[in-house]
Short mmCIF file of all heavy atoms in Angstrom, two decimals:
data_model
loop_
_atom_site.label_atom_id
_atom_site.label_comp_id
_atom_site.label_asym_id
_atom_site.label_seq_id
_atom_site.Cartn_x
_atom_site.Cartn_y
_atom_site.Cartn_z
N GLU A 99 -18.48 27.58 -4.74
CA GLU A 99 -18.10 26.37 -3.99
C GLU A 99 -16.85 25.76 -4.62
O GLU A 99 -16.84 25.43 -5.82
CB GLU A 99 -19.27 25.37 -4.01
CG GLU A 99 -19.00 24.07 -3.28
CD GLU A 99 -19.10 24.16 -1.74
OE1 GLU A 99 -19.24 25.27 -1.21
OE2 GLU A 99 -19.01 23.10 -1.10
N VAL A 145 -14.27 20.53 -1.57
CA VAL A 145 -14.55 19.19 -2.10
C VAL A 145 -13.39 18.84 -3.01
O VAL A 145 -12.98 19.65 -3.85
CB VAL A 145 -15.89 19.15 -2.86
CG1 VAL A 145 -16.03 17.86 -3.67
CG2 VAL A 145 -17.05 19.28 -1.87
N LEU A 170 -17.68 11.12 -0.90
CA LEU A 170 -19.05 11.46 -1.30
C LEU A 170 -19.51 10.42 -2.32
O LEU A 170 -18.69 9.77 -2.98
CB LEU A 170 -19.09 12.85 -1.95
CG LEU A 170 -18.87 14.04 -1.02
CD1 LEU A 170 -18.56 15.29 -1.81
CD2 LEU A 170 -20.11 14.26 -0.14
N MET A 172 -21.60 11.38 -4.94
CA MET A 172 -21.60 12.16 -6.18
C MET A 172 -21.46 13.61 -5.77
O MET A 172 -21.66 13.95 -4.59
CB MET A 172 -22.95 11.95 -6.89
CG MET A 172 -22.92 11.73 -8.39
SD MET A 172 -22.00 12.92 -9.32
CE MET A 172 -23.25 14.13 -9.68
N CYS A 173 -21.15 14.46 -6.70
CA CYS A 173 -21.11 15.89 -6.39
C CYS A 173 -21.41 16.65 -7.66
O CYS A 173 -20.66 16.55 -8.65
CB CYS A 173 -19.74 16.27 -5.83
SG CYS A 173 -19.70 18.00 -5.36
N GLY A 174 -22.49 17.41 -7.63
CA GLY A 174 -22.92 18.14 -8.84
C GLY A 174 -22.03 19.34 -9.13
O GLY A 174 -21.54 19.50 -10.25
N HIS A 175 -21.80 20.18 -8.12
CA HIS A 175 -20.95 21.35 -8.39
C HIS A 175 -19.55 20.86 -8.75
O HIS A 175 -18.88 21.45 -9.59
CB HIS A 175 -20.91 22.30 -7.17
CG HIS A 175 -19.77 22.05 -6.25
ND1 HIS A 175 -19.86 21.25 -5.13
CD2 HIS A 175 -18.47 22.44 -6.32
CE1 HIS A 175 -18.68 21.18 -4.54
NE2 HIS A 175 -17.82 21.89 -5.23
N GLY A 176 -19.12 19.76 -8.11
CA GLY A 176 -17.80 19.22 -8.38
C GLY A 176 -17.67 18.72 -9.81
O GLY A 176 -16.61 18.84 -10.43
N ASN A 247 -26.81 11.95 -3.70
CA ASN A 247 -26.57 11.86 -2.25
C ASN A 247 -27.95 11.87 -1.60
O ASN A 247 -28.94 12.23 -2.24
CB ASN A 247 -25.78 13.09 -1.74
CG ASN A 247 -24.35 13.10 -2.24
OD1 ASN A 247 -23.59 12.17 -2.00
ND2 ASN A 247 -23.96 14.16 -2.95
N HIS A 293 -26.98 15.18 3.98
CA HIS A 293 -27.16 16.56 3.50
C HIS A 293 -28.55 17.03 3.91
O HIS A 293 -29.52 16.26 3.82
CB HIS A 293 -27.06 16.66 1.98
CG HIS A 293 -25.70 16.35 1.41
ND1 HIS A 293 -25.18 15.08 1.35
CD2 HIS A 293 -24.77 17.16 0.86
CE1 HIS A 293 -23.98 15.13 0.80
NE2 HIS A 293 -23.70 16.39 0.49
N CYS A 312 -23.65 20.47 4.38
CA CYS A 312 -22.89 19.32 3.84
C CYS A 312 -22.48 18.39 4.98
O CYS A 312 -22.53 18.77 6.16
CB CYS A 312 -21.68 19.84 3.08
SG CYS A 312 -22.16 20.81 1.63
N ASP A 318 -22.92 24.62 1.58
CA ASP A 318 -22.58 24.66 0.15
C ASP A 318 -22.74 26.09 -0.36
O ASP A 318 -23.81 26.68 -0.23
CB ASP A 318 -23.51 23.71 -0.62
CG ASP A 318 -22.97 23.38 -2.01
OD1 ASP A 318 -22.21 24.20 -2.55
OD2 ASP A 318 -23.32 22.31 -2.54
N SER A 320 -22.50 26.82 -3.50
CA SER A 320 -23.26 26.69 -4.76
C SER A 320 -24.69 26.25 -4.41
O SER A 320 -24.97 25.90 -3.26
CB SER A 320 -22.60 25.63 -5.66
OG SER A 320 -23.08 24.33 -5.36
N CYS A 322 -25.88 23.52 -5.02
CA CYS A 322 -25.75 22.07 -4.77
C CYS A 322 -26.43 21.28 -5.89
O CYS A 322 -27.66 21.22 -5.98
CB CYS A 322 -26.34 21.68 -3.42
SG CYS A 322 -25.89 20.00 -2.95
N GLY A 323 -25.59 20.64 -6.71
CA GLY A 323 -26.13 19.90 -7.86
C GLY A 323 -26.96 18.70 -7.45
O GLY A 323 -28.05 18.46 -8.00
N THR A 324 -26.47 17.93 -6.48
CA THR A 324 -27.25 16.76 -6.06
C THR A 324 -28.47 17.22 -5.25
O THR A 324 -29.54 16.60 -5.32
CB THR A 324 -26.38 15.78 -5.25
OG1 THR A 324 -25.71 16.49 -4.19
CG2 THR A 324 -25.35 15.10 -6.12
N GLY A 325 -28.33 18.32 -4.52
CA GLY A 325 -29.47 18.86 -3.76
C GLY A 325 -30.55 19.42 -4.68
O GLY A 325 -31.75 19.27 -4.42
O1 LIG B 266 -23.12 20.07 -5.73
O2 LIG B 266 -23.81 18.04 -5.33
C1 LIG B 266 -23.20 19.05 -5.00
C2 LIG B 266 -22.53 19.09 -3.69
C3 LIG B 266 -22.53 18.11 -2.73
C4 LIG B 266 -21.76 18.59 -1.68
C5 LIG B 266 -21.31 19.85 -2.03
N1 LIG B 266 -21.79 20.12 -3.26
#
Side-chain angles (χ1 to χ4, degrees):
E99 179 77 353
V145 167
L170 290 165
M172 224 309 270
C173 183
H175 93 266
N247 291 302
H293 293 73
C312 295
D318 197 335
S320 87
C322 192
T324 52

